[in-house]
Amino acid sequence: MVQKRGMTLPRPELLVECRPAPNPRRVRIFLAEKGLEIPTEQVDIMTGAHFGDHAGRVGTFHVPALKLSDGTWLTESMAICRYVEALVPEPCLMGADALSAARIEMWQRRLEFELFSPIAQVLRHGNPKMAVLEDQCPEWAEANIPRVHKGLAMLERRLGESAHVASEDFSVADITAVVALDFLRTIRIEIPEQATATRAWFGKMGERSSVMASRAKPGVKTAEVAG
Ligand SMILES: N[C@@H](CCC(=O)N[C@@H](CS)C(=O)NCC(=O)O)C(=O)O
């Protein structure tokens, strides 16, 4: 248990994830930035394994899920990150004051809705291998392609005016953005040549040990795992 403002908080004990999938990867990067190592358990969502025992014990079929030392589970990547941020405040990744926390949350949500999610929709509805996860609607995949390009343009405008996504400092919003950009490969879209600010920032992000370590191990096909 961890002491926090007079309360005893349960410890993170186990991260259930699917290594090539993008949402668990956001949490892995976050944990690495905090210097935390938590045992992991893999559930292969591409075989539908998460619909069975995993969903039964956690209460939802999605990954990631974090088991706490009191036997309860946390799901939703950002809820997990917020809990870890409270346990391990440094380095601060979700905002040290009300305004910076709000700005980080704003960019984090914009990236999820305007880039990460459209990429996931193109993959999940456009790649026949994703039929295990989705009642597919190919027209919805097509409809999301322009949204991906709009999201990329939004990110490029932002990185043209700011060293990192939410402010001058690295934050969880950068984690969502870097994972989204790596996820582009699954739908065979590249960061545009003219997106020079995004390309420069993406190169720097790739040098962070947390980002490097989170990339899928050789032999694991990221292109075939859903978001
Ligand atoms: N909102 C959740 C989304 C989690 C999510 O969609 N995870 C994907 C893997 S990246 C998943 O479990 N997919 C399984 C499925 O769709 O059946 C979060 O932020 O953690």
Side-chain angles (χ1 to χ4, degrees), residues 25-36 78 80-85 88 91 93-94 171-172 175 210:
R25 185 174 174 218
R26 292 198 289 165
V27 171
R28 278 205 311 281
I29 295 175
F30 194 91
L31 292 171
E33 290 284 339
K34 295 287 184 180
L36 283 186
M78 286 305 110
I80 294 171
C81 291
R82 193 162 291 289
Y83 187 61
V84 170
E85 176 95 343
V88 183
L93 299 176
M94 299 185 92
S171 77
V172 72
I175 296 178
S210 62

Side-chain angles (χ1 to χ4, degrees), residues 44 64 70 99 133 162 181-182 190 193 199 207 211 218 224:
D44 186 356
D70 64 358
L99 186 56
L133 301 180
S162 177
L181 290 186
D182 266 340
E190 294 196 351
E193 284 290 328
R199 283 177 168 259
E207 290 165 8
V211 173
E224 291 173 15

